[in-house]
């Protein structure tokens, strides 16, 4: 693949042929929340939450802060443990496993297996500052997926091409702008070939001029791949671009759901209208 | 009393021999302290309450008793149970053990300072536990505490004269020997001070160099 000229904030067109190689492919699992409860201390963040995401569907969660959107992603990434209910990833329960026909809490081994399908990009990037870009991208594939060093390096190169940062392969994260760090973080997540990708306010920590570049990249990845995508964002245009369905949350419940057009152009619930007005005014 | 340069020249070789022992004891003791301190810290993070409690009690006990008493215990009491150690070995173990309880606290602080997002990214990448510790958390934690760890090297160096109490002919003991032989203490004891300052200053510079080097690779 020829080196691409990149202007900061500008993302190169996805080369259609090469894209097939670095992007994860294969059957994406659906997701299902079944009466999920999550409490933090005395506060109930999610109460008996039910919703389903079809395989390969791209869903955006919107709603005021504290409405439990990020908690949903964190439960799926196993960063938080639910206090009740079941979370299905494909045909398996994430936090429970079968033992002698009974459902028991998952052990580390089960969680490790389940996590193989899931990747996450964080608001604060969370690149490993003690490793250069290449090592950030190869650590997981080598240590977890058992790739040889050469295979992992090759995969890292393809992904850095994809995110337009091939020239930063030896750089340390501290030398990169926020936008570049987030692109590396996206590449790092994709290097694990997840089937479900979780995006947690991925542009909230970026300077305004870098936001569009990262959003365009993610939109292209979403369209080119068949990942099941779950996205939390406050950028309504991005939500419209990236998703097939939008869920409006308030106080741990789904207030309204529909296509991006339905939610953004013609919301039926007063709570949704109020929220959208507040977001657009800011 | 005038400074006697001829006498100074005569005793210097003995003092340098003493210094060699001092440095040996400090360096080896320090190695024990930095490794064992890490072991304490990691053991305190195991899920087992028994291990956690035991380690906590042991380190608290060692930290709260004087190094001199511990040296006496290792050198004079352990032989009662058939564990006989040479003076230098006992001294090295004593220094290392004592200071490991301090380095353990240093590591603990360093680990607590690693942002939560680093742990979460490691989970999201599905890294196995040992890799999370050794590839992600500890390199960052140790970098953060390197200056403090370095200070303990120098503190330990300055505590090493206590080893004379268990008959290690380290620097101060060598000077004392020379002084009591000739009944002149001015030169030997002054030299001890000078040599300690020299080594301390050199090691502080080394520690600082190490610090700037690790920061340069950020």
């Amino acid at each position: 693949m020829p080196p691409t000229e990149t202007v900061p904030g500008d993302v190169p067109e996805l080369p259609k042929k090469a894209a097939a190689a670095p992007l994860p492919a294969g059957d994406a699992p659906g997701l299902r929340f079944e009466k999920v409860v999550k409490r933090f201390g005395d506060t109930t963040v999610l109460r008996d939450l039910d919703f389903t995401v079809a395989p390969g569907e791209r869903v955006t969660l919107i709603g005021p802060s504290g409405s439990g959107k990020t908690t949903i992603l964190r439960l799926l990434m196993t960063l938080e443990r639910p206090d009740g209910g079941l979370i299905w990833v494909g045909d398996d329960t994430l936090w429970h496993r079968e033992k002698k026909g009974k459902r028991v809490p998952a052990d580390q081994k089960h969680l490790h297996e389940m996590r193989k399908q899931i990747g996450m990009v964080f608001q604060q990037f969370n690149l490993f500052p003690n490793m250069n870009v290449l090592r950030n991208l190869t650590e997981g594939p080598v240590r977890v997926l058992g790739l040889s060093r050469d295979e992992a390096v090759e995969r890292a190169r393809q992904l850095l091409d994809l995110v337009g940062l091939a020239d930063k392969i030896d750089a340390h994260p501290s030398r990169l702008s926020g936008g570049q760090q987030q692109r590396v973080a996206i590449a790092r997540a994709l290097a694990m070939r997840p089937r479900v990708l979780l995006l947690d306010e991925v542009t909230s920590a970026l300077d305004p001029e870098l936001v569009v570049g990262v959003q365009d990249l993610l939109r292209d990845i979403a369209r080119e791949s068949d990942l099941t995508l779950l996205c939390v964002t406050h950028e309504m245009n991005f939500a419209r671009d990236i998703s097939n369905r939008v869920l409006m949350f308030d106080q741990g419940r789904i207030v309204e759901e529909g296509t991006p057009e339905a939610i953004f152009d013609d919301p039926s619930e007063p709570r949704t209208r109020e929220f959208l007005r507040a977001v657009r005014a800011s | 009393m005038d400074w006697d340069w001829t006498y100074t020249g005569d005793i210097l070789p003995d003092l340098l021999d003493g210094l060699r022992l001092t440095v040996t004891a400090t360096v080896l003791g320090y190695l024990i302290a930095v490794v064992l301190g890490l072991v304490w810290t990691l053991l305190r993070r195991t899920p087992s309450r028994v291990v956690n409690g035991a380690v906590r009690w042991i380190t608290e006990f060692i930290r709260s008793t004087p190094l001199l008493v511990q040296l006496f215990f290792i050198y004079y009491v352990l032989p009662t149970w058939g564990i006989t150690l040479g003076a230098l070995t006992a001294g090295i173990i004593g220094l290392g053990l004592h200071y490991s309880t301090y380095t353990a606290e240093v590591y603990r602080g360093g680990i607590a300072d690693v942002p939560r997002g680093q742990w979460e990214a490691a989970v999201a990448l599905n890294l196995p536990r040992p890799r999370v510790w050794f590839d992600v958390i500890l390199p960052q934690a140790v970098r953060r505490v390197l200056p403090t760890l370095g200070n303990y090297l120098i503190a330990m160096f300055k505590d090493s004269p206590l080893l004379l109490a268990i008959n290690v002919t380290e620097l101060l003991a060598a000077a004392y020997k020379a002084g009591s032989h000739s009944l002149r203490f001015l030169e030997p004891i002054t030299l001890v001070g000078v040599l300690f300052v020299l080594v301390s200053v050199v090691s502080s510079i080394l520690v600082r160099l190490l610090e700037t080097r690790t920061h340069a690779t950020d």
Side-chain angles (χ1 to χ4, degrees):
Chain A
M1 191 170 143
T4 30
E5 288 275 302
T6 47
V7 188
D10 182 42
V11 181
E13 275 290 297
L14 267 188
K16 297 285 179 274
K17 253 186 177 171
L23 284 177
D27 289 339
L31 307 170
R32 188 149 61 95
F33 275 54
E34 209 180 300
K35 296 217 177 311
V36 172
V37 178
K38 178 63 191 173
R39 296 185 203 94
F40 292 112
D42 292 337
T43 323
T44 304
V45 184
L46 302 177
R47 48 188 91 217
D48 293 338
L49 178 67
D50 288 305
F51 75 95
T52 309
V53 176
E57 197 182 12
R58 306 194 295 270
V59 174
T60 298
L61 315 179
I62 63 167
S65 22
S67 59
K69 303 162 308 208
T70 289
T71 304
I72 291 168
L73 300 193
R74 294 175 60 82
L75 288 169
L76 279 164
M77 197 63 258
T78 70
L79 298 173
E80 306 282 356
R81 184 183 290 272
D83 295 304
L86 291 175
I87 299 173
W88 294 84
V89 178
D91 297 330
D92 285 316
T93 44
L94 179 62
W95 282 99
H96 301 81
R97 66 194 168 96
E98 292 275 327
K99 194 179 169 188
K100 294 175 191 155
K102 276 186 180 171
R103 202 170 272 140
V104 296
D107 53 4
Q108 281 303 320
K109 200 176 143 219
H110 179 80
L111 291 177
H112 186 79
E113 274 313 303
M114 294 302 290
R115 276 197 293 256
K116 284 182 180 169
Q117 306 177 70
I118 307 169
M120 183 161 178
V121 183
F122 298 89
Q123 183 177 359
Q124 298 294 340
F125 334 131
N126 296 344
L127 293 178
F128 302 132
N130 56 314
M131 304 176 189
N132 66 11
V133 166
L134 177 65
R135 178 93 194 277
N136 264 283
L137 263 60
T138 55
E139 177 79 6
V142 170
R143 303 292 195 194
V144 182
L145 306 181
L147 261 63
S148 75
R149 223 196 110 64
D150 287 349
E151 289 168 328
V153 170
E154 182 51 32
R155 188 180 284 192
R157 279 186 201 288
Q158 288 180 342
L159 283 164
L160 285 174
D161 272 341
L162 178 78
V163 302
L165 289 174
D167 56 332
K168 301 291 184 195
I169 191 162
D170 294 319
H172 270 265
S174 58
R175 301 272 172 219
L176 303 179
S177 72
Q180 291 171 330
Q181 289 192 47
Q182 194 59 300
R183 287 168 190 222
V184 173
I186 291 164
R188 178 174 70 174
L190 293 176
M192 299 301 285
R193 301 266 162 97
R195 306 306 309 122
V196 178
L197 188 62
L198 311 171
L199 305 176
D200 185 17
E201 303 199 28
V202 290
T203 56
S204 299
L206 298 181
D207 291 336
E209 74 272 17
L210 301 173
V211 168
V212 173
V214 171
Q215 289 180 348
D216 286 352
L217 171 67
L218 284 169
R219 187 197 53 215
D220 290 349
I221 289 171
R223 288 187 183 161
E224 294 291 329
S225 69
D226 55 357
L227 289 162
T228 300
L229 195 76
L230 216 54
C231 172
V232 170
T233 183
H234 289 291
E235 310 269 343
M236 296 307 138
N237 289 329
F238 178 52
R240 188 193 285 263
D241 260 8
I242 203 166
S243 40
N244 336 99
R245 189 154 59 105
V246 177
L247 305 182
M248 165 72 196
F249 275 81
D250 192 30
Q251 298 178 350
R253 293 174 193 280
I254 296 169
V255 185
E256 183 174 357
E257 64 175 293
T259 62
E261 292 72 28
I263 296 284
F264 294 126
D265 301 336
D266 188 21
S268 52
E269 292 294 321
R271 189 69 195 88
T272 313
R273 263 176 284 186
E274 192 186 323
F275 170 73
L276 288 174
R277 206 176 311 128
V279 172
R280 283 168 182 154
S282 65
Chain B
M1 202 181 203
D2 290 329
W3 185 272
D4 184 341
W5 284 107
T6 323
Y7 174 55
T8 306
D10 288 345
I11 59 169
L12 194 58
D14 283 347
L15 262 59
L16 288 179
D17 275 348
L19 180 62
R20 205 166 42 81
L21 276 185
T22 297
V23 170
T24 307
T26 307
V27 170
L28 294 180
Y30 189 65
L31 284 179
I32 295 178
V34 292
V35 174
L36 191 58
L38 188 55
V39 172
W40 294 138
T41 310
L42 294 181
L43 285 178
R44 288 240 16 215
R45 299 192 68 116
T46 54
S48 158
R49 280 193 146 179
V50 180
V51 174
N52 191 323
V55 169
R56 189 181 161 169
W57 196 84
I58 292 168
T59 51
E60 200 59 48
F61 181 80
I62 296 174
R63 197 169 33 231
S64 319
T65 49
L67 173 56
L68 189 57
V69 177
Q70 290 161 17
L71 289 171
F72 271 36
F73 194 88
I74 294 168
Y75 189 60
Y76 293 114
V77 181
L78 285 190
T80 322
W81 297 313
I83 305 169
T84 309
L85 299 166
L88 183 61
T89 311
I92 289 168
I93 292 174
L95 280 173
L97 192 63
H98 188 77
Y99 273 89
S100 71
T101 61
Y102 289 94
T103 56
E105 283 303 302
V106 175
Y107 287 123
R108 200 171 66 102
I111 290 165
D113 280 347
V114 175
R116 204 174 59 151
Q118 292 293 307
W119 293 92
E120 297 185 346
V123 171
L125 277 185
N126 215 359
L127 293 179
R129 254 331 185 186
R131 299 266 66 95
V132 177
W133 278 107
F134 289 101
D135 294 355
V136 178
I137 302 302
L138 286 179
Q140 296 183 53
V142 170
R143 173 170 304 179
R144 272 157 218 265
V145 300
L146 221 47
T148 324
L149 279 183
N151 287 341
Y152 276 113
L153 173 64
I154 292 160
M156 191 167 168
F157 176 63
K158 290 194 294 177
D159 263 356
S160 65
L162 284 174
L163 263 53
L164 75 78
I166 55 166
N167 302 330
V168 177
T169 324
E170 47 66 63
L171 181 53
L172 185 61
Y176 179 75
K177 229 170 163 180
S180 38
H181 195 67
S182 59
L183 297 178
R184 273 188 75 97
F185 284 97
L186 171 66
E187 291 83 358
I189 303 301
T190 309
L191 276 176
V192 170
V194 171
L195 289 172
F196 261 98
V197 168
L198 276 179
V199 176
S200 288
V201 168
V202 170
S203 11
S204 331
I205 292 172
L206 286 178
V207 167
R208 216 162 301 148
L209 272 180
L210 188 68
E211 224 176 285
T212 42
R213 262 200 52 176
T214 49
H215 277 286
T217 56
D218 256 350

